[in-house]
Amino acid sequence: MIGHDTLSAGERAYLDECDAFLSARLDPELVERMDRSEVQYPSDFIRELGEQHYLGAAVPEAEGGGGRSFMEEALLNERVGYHGSAAIACARTFTAHIGWILAKYGTDHLKESYLRPMLRGEKITAQALTEPGAGSDMAGIQTRAVRDGDRYIVNGEKRFLDGAHTADFISCAVRTDDGDDPRQILSVMMVDTDQTGYEILQTHDDWLGFRGLGSAWVRFTDVEVPVTNLLGEEGNGWQYLSEQLLLERTYATRAQLGQAIRALEIAATYAEERETFGEKLKERQWASFKVAEAATRIDAALLLNNRAARMLDEGLWAESKMEVAMAKKFGVEAAWQTVDDAMQIVGGIAYTKAYPIERIMRDVRASRFTAGSTEMMALIIQRRAFDRLRDPNFRKELVGREVEGSPVARELPGRV
Ligand SMILES: Cc1cc2nc3c(=O)[nH]c(=O)nc-3n(C[C@H](O)[C@H](O)[C@H](O)COP(=O)(O)OP(=O)(O)OC[C@H]3O[C@@H](n4cnc5c(N)ncnc54)[C@H](O)[C@@H]3O)c2cc1C
């Protein structure tokens, strides 16, 4: 298999275990029915994932999770993506990253009422960040939670919420302060969806891919949330969401790479069988070189993803922002390019439902703007890249006046 050469024996064993479970239990028919939006959030399957500790695999065992590393959780996501459904991968990543943040910052009440039932697959959560006026720009969040004694009163709208139809509760990013500093204005709270004032305004069942999630645009009108449902400290939401997003970016990208590997496998195998003008496609250099390029690209993306996951495992959260952004940007673009290559190799039949390539293409496309778009990842990378690339010996006063000498030091420090 592509991309697994650098795994430890234990990681490979876990990957094989996940693979065996998903081969046996994830019915391709279920994947197709989700894609047709006939099934939303398959609760039986999600419970089964919970029983196997595949929900919150990297959440500590003491908190009801699987006690795995972030690297192993990434491998699990890859296999879920490979076996069939971005939708199910997405359902899983919520429990993975919201679960982890609940385990780290939640009170006993939040753990008993939300975390543990969620990890058992008994309660479904949705994640509410995006608003009609605030997508990439999290600081623009306008949904307000105003404290009133021992409760908050929440008002606002959120859209594109996966699972909003079926969710029992929503991990909701709200504004608790009118200031300008994003690091102080946001809070995160668990909002029960059976509360008066929670309303679904529009469903997104017919969007391009990622179907079967019961996604929706919702409104909160004077929804009451007990103060005990606040995660951590009021005003610390930016920090919790930033940590959560590092996990989501790593896991969700891995799921897309799993899907891309599946598409590439189909295309490569097809190219060995299909003949045109009396010759196998594999014998045509354009097709075989596309396979070579895609295999290399996917391997590079997996290695970047491994690095990001391993940095998180080492506790390098603040330091890993650029590496996670690189893994996300390169990973989802690699997945998209690879699926496009796979479709080109297979030709017209790949545009039908005979092979899952067309569904994978629709599912993968969203990942280029979800969980932080490719452009937002570039913004994160360039900021840190400029800091790391700055040459302290560069003589900036000579820029534009190079006739007077080279700005680049010829005698580098340490050179004899
Ligand atoms: C399938 C799917 C599932 C989703 N699930 C959820 C969910 O469960 N919960 C949730 O909260 N949200 C969810 N979303 C929303 C998703 O996270 C947002 O679509 C994403 O954050 C981008 O926000 P936006 O769509 O408002 O685009 P905008 O922020 O309006 O951006 C539009 C375009 O401009 C670019 N752009 C924006 N700002 C800049 C900048 N400063 N510099 C350069 N380029 C910029 C973006 O990259 C993008 O290409 C989902 C979306 C989809 C499609």
Side-chain angles (χ1 to χ4, degrees):
M1 183 130 9
I2 295 282
H4 297 145
D5 305 335
T6 59
L7 300 181
S8 70
E11 288 163 351
R12 184 169 275 270
Y14 185 62
L15 182 106
D16 291 343
E17 178 201 309
C18 298
D19 222 25
F21 171 80
L22 291 161
S23 301
R25 305 302 306 152
L26 182 48
D27 180 2
E29 174 63 18
L30 173 63
V31 174
E32 284 170 25
R33 292 186 65 213
M34 287 186 78
D35 189 43
R36 293 196 295 269
S37 288
E38 290 168 11
V39 176
Q40 290 182 346
Y41 259 73
S43 50
D44 288 350
F45 182 70
I46 290 174
R47 261 175 208 263
E48 216 174 326
L49 288 172
E51 283 161 18
Q52 302 296 324
H53 291 299
Y54 290 143
L55 298 181
V59 170
E61 278 176 291
E63 309 290 4
R68 295 278 171 182
S69 64
F70 297 125
M71 181 66 230
E72 286 170 321
E73 175 88 70
L75 293 174
L76 168 59
N77 274 279
E78 179 196 307
R79 293 296 92 194
V80 175
Y82 175 91
H83 280 283
S85 175
I88 294 173
C90 189
R92 268 203 22 68
T93 59
F94 281 176
T95 59
H97 63 259
I98 294 174
W100 194 83
I101 224 77
L102 271 170
K104 184 171 177 189
Y105 296 107
T107 56
D108 287 347
H109 158 69
L110 289 181
K111 290 176 185 174
E112 283 309 314
S113 306
Y114 299 101
L115 175 61
R116 287 173 182 277
M118 180 178 81
L119 296 182
R120 289 194 296 265
E122 293 163 8
K123 276 193 176 179
I124 302 288
T125 187
Q127 165 176 260
L129 304 179
T130 310
E131 300 186 356
S136 306
D137 179 14
M138 262 191 351
I141 283 175
Q142 292 301 328
T143 296
R144 272 165 207 274
V146 177
R147 178 101 186 231
D148 178 20
D150 59 359
R151 60 194 184 150
Y152 286 98
I153 308 296
V154 178
N155 281 286
E157 286 181 22
K158 298 276 182 185
R159 67 177 178 180
F160 308 147
L161 308 194
D162 301 330
H165 272 194
T166 34
D168 299 289
F169 71 98
I170 298 183
S171 174
C172 196
V174 293
R175 178 179 270 265
T176 40
D177 188 289
D178 284 333
D180 295 327
D181 183 351
R183 279 158 219 290
Q184 291 176 5
I185 59 176
L186 296 182
S187 300
V188 176
M189 50 188 63
M190 304 303 134
V191 181
D192 291 312
T193 55
D194 61 1
Q195 287 292 93
T196 308
Y198 175 73
E199 186 188 356
I200 291 184
L201 296 181
Q202 191 183 75
T203 59
H204 308 308
D205 296 341
D206 57 352
W207 59 12
L208 186 66
F210 259 78
R211 298 193 190 137
L213 280 171
S215 304
W217 184 327
V218 307
R219 179 185 287 154
F220 305 90
T221 309
D222 292 333
V223 172
E224 294 188 13
V225 180
V227 170
T228 48
N229 279 19
L230 178 73
L231 181 73
E233 303 283 321
E234 185 182 297
N236 262 359
W238 186 270
Q239 183 196 331
Y240 309 144
L241 295 170
S242 301
E243 290 186 20
Q244 183 177 301
L245 278 165
L246 289 176
L247 290 178
E248 185 179 4
R249 284 170 189 158
T250 306
Y251 298 155
T253 300
R254 196 74 179 211
Q256 305 312 321
L257 291 170
Q259 298 212 87
I261 291 170
R262 184 71 192 115
L264 185 58
E265 271 182 12
I266 293 168
T269 311
Y270 184 90
E272 290 187 308
E273 299 304 322
R274 175 72 169 173
E275 282 187 16
T276 63
F277 299 93
E279 216 178 334
K280 301 274 192 209
L281 273 180
K282 186 191 171 188
E283 305 306 326
R284 301 192 182 278
Q285 203 178 60
W286 76 265
S288 62
F289 278 19
K290 259 196 196 307
V291 170
E293 279 164 25
T296 308
R297 187 190 304 129
I298 291 288
D299 247 17
L302 291 174
L303 287 171
L304 280 177
N305 194 267
N306 290 356
R307 179 178 71 170
R310 293 194 198 286
M311 284 184 81
L312 296 174
D313 275 323
E314 285 165 25
L316 300 171
W317 289 72
E319 297 85 344
S320 72
K321 282 200 176 111
M322 182 177 83
E323 286 79 359
V324 170
M326 284 176 166
K328 164 90 174 41
K329 179 175 181 298
F330 188 83
V332 298
E333 295 299 326
W336 173 248
Q337 181 63 57
T338 299
V339 178
D340 189 46
D341 286 348
M343 185 167 275
Q344 194 64 18
I345 290 168
V346 175
I349 193 70
Y351 203 63
T352 74
K353 294 193 185 298
Y355 297 96
I357 294 175
E358 66 86 33
R359 174 186 58 72
I360 292 173
M361 177 171 260
R362 289 185 284 107
D363 283 349
V364 165
R365 183 61 185 83
S367 64
R368 296 176 65 210
F369 48 83
T370 53
S373 66
T374 289
E375 292 75 25
M376 298 313 289
M377 294 306 98
L379 280 177
I380 295 172
I381 296 165
Q382 57 85 26
R383 218 173 285 139
R384 288 166 177 78
F386 273 111
D387 285 346
R388 293 194 199 178
L389 293 169
R390 195 168 300 118
D391 174 2
N393 299 312
F394 194 88
R395 295 181 60 199
K396 52 191 178 201
E397 71 278 9
L398 290 181
V399 170
R401 295 172 50 198
E402 286 83 357
V403 70
E404 293 169 23
S406 170
V408 180
R410 295 210 166 79
E411 294 302 321
L412 290 176
R415 186 181 281 180
V416 184

